[in-house]
């Protein structure tokens, strides 16, 4: 619903908008425990600087700002510690509800599509795959000089932690700020359409979650361009042949 909030009355859209970038609370020590498990040390040792307050978050992870020992500013996406367990519980709940629905709607096999959906959702929990897919996107769309896909730092990443170069910009969720900063809406829309057209009709690898919360824009004064588009890392999916 939050993704399609533009189709709803303004009051509903404004209420749902935070869900695109909302932050859930974590348990005390959860982040440190995950870093030790996955990367062998606490974030304060792995990075020269690590801000404990998340700058963004969503359904399965939060994003933190850090600085490597080489001085590179990075964004660190850290999965919620119990999200895999929650997924298994939700999976069981959905299957139970679908079995009930199947009883009320014989002949419409809703439950038959669930194995494919669950398989795709499980891949969302694998940040190594997500990182590889983002770099596939980066390589395949490198001819689009207005698109920026951050570099992955593999030595600082794991199945549940993804570290990438920090890309600053204005989130497209904040349409008023985008307009206030003087961006040309028509030009931005043309660029976004070009990006996704290249994927759909060209490469075959498609960004699976293209809502405004996963795209940012920024000024590129030195290149004389009105706006660059920056991808937040998400899974890429290949359409069926």
């Amino acid at each position: 619903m939050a993704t399609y909030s533009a189709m709803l009355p303004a009051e509903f859209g404004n209420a749902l908008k935070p869900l695109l970038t909302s932050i859930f609370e974590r348990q005390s020590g959860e982040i440190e425990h995950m870093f030790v498990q996955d990367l062998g040390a606490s974030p304060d040792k792995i990075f020269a600087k690590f801000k404990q307050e998340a700058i963004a978050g969503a359904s399965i992870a939060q994003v933190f700002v850090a600085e490597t020992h080489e001085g590179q500013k990075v964004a660190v996406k850290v999965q919620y510690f119990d999200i895999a367990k929650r997924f298994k519980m939700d999976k069981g709940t959905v299957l139970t509800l679908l079995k009930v629905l199947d009883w009320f709607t014989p002949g419409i096999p809703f439950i038959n599509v669930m194995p494919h959906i669950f398989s795709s959702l499980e891949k969302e929990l694998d940040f190594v795959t997500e990182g590889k897919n983002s770099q596939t996107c980066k390589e395949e769309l490198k001819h689009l000089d207005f698109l920026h896909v951050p570099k992955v730092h593999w030595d600082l990443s794991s199945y549940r932690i993804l570290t990438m170069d920090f890309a600053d910009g204005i989130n497209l969720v904040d349409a008023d700020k985008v307009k206030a900063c003087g961006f040309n809406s028509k030009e931005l829309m043309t660029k976004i359409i070009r990006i996704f057209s290249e994927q759909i009709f060209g490469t075959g690898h498609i960004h699976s979650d293209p809502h405004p919360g996963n795209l940012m824009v920024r000024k590129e004064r030195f290149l004389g361009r009105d706006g660059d588009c920056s991808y937040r890392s998400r899974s890429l999916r290949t359409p069926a042949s």
Side-chain angles (χ1 to χ4, degrees):
M1 292 292 290
T3 302
Y4 300 104
S5 59
M7 300 170 64
L8 301 172
E11 294 81 3
F12 289 90
N14 292 334
L16 291 169
K17 194 178 295 183
L19 295 177
L20 295 173
T21 55
S22 61
I23 298 174
F24 299 140
E25 291 187 6
R26 287 183 180 270
Q27 298 178 13
S28 177
E30 179 180 327
I31 297 171
E32 287 75 11
H33 184 60
M34 184 170 292
F35 268 89
V36 170
Q37 278 194 337
D38 285 28
L39 299 177
S42 67
D44 292 335
K45 293 182 179 179
I46 290 174
F47 299 100
K49 297 178 182 177
F50 185 87
K51 294 184 178 180
Q52 293 286 341
E53 184 177 347
I55 61 168
S59 56
I60 67 170
Q62 290 177 320
V63 179
F64 300 85
V65 177
E67 183 179 307
T68 68
H69 291 288
E70 293 74 31
Q72 175 67 48
K73 187 178 182 181
V74 292
V76 186
K77 184 177 178 181
V78 184
Q79 200 171 114
Y80 294 112
F81 188 76
D82 62 346
I83 194 65
K85 181 179 179 181
R86 291 186 188 183
F87 173 76
K88 290 180 180 178
M89 293 173 61
D90 290 345
K91 180 179 177 180
T93 301
V94 171
L95 286 174
T96 300
L97 292 174
L98 284 175
K99 288 177 181 178
V100 174
L101 181 62
D102 190 52
W103 189 80
F104 284 103
T105 57
I108 305 178
F110 292 106
I111 201 167
N112 290 355
V113 302
M114 295 315 296
H116 173 72
I117 294 176
F118 287 143
S119 175
S120 297
L121 290 175
E122 285 174 353
K123 292 177 183 177
E124 293 278 332
L125 302 178
D126 182 357
F127 286 178
V128 173
T129 296
E130 181 171 329
K132 289 179 179 178
N133 284 333
S134 74
Q135 299 311 285
T136 296
C137 175
K138 182 182 183 75
E139 177 62 25
E140 291 180 340
L141 300 180
K142 63 183 179 181
H143 59 287
L144 301 180
D145 62 355
F146 53 82
L147 173 66
H148 174 68
V149 181
K151 170 188 171 184
V152 173
H153 293 256
W154 291 112
D155 58 325
L156 301 173
S157 300
S158 70
Y159 184 88
R160 299 182 296 178
I161 299 170
L162 181 62
T163 302
M164 308 179 77
D165 283 349
F166 186 88
D168 204 359
I170 303 172
N171 199 300
L172 288 186
V173 170
D174 196 346
D176 292 336
K177 189 174 182 180
V178 172
K179 186 180 295 185
C181 288
F183 287 102
N184 184 312
S185 299
K186 183 177 180 180
E187 183 175 353
L188 286 179
M189 199 67 245
T190 299
K191 289 178 177 180
I192 293 171
I193 291 172
R194 172 74 186 283
I195 291 168
F196 286 99
S197 295
E198 288 278 348
Q199 294 177 78
I200 295 169
F201 302 110
T203 68
H205 290 94
I206 305 168
H207 191 287
S208 65
D209 199 12
H211 66 68
N214 282 334
L215 284 169
M216 294 185 292
V217 293
R218 61 183 183 177
K219 292 282 187 179
E220 287 288 349
R221 293 187 296 271
F222 302 108
L223 299 179
R225 295 200 293 268
D226 182 54
D228 259 20
C229 297
S230 179
Y231 258 146
R232 280 189 177 180
S233 175
R234 292 293 292 183
S235 299
L236 294 172
R237 294 180 185 150
T238 307
S241 58

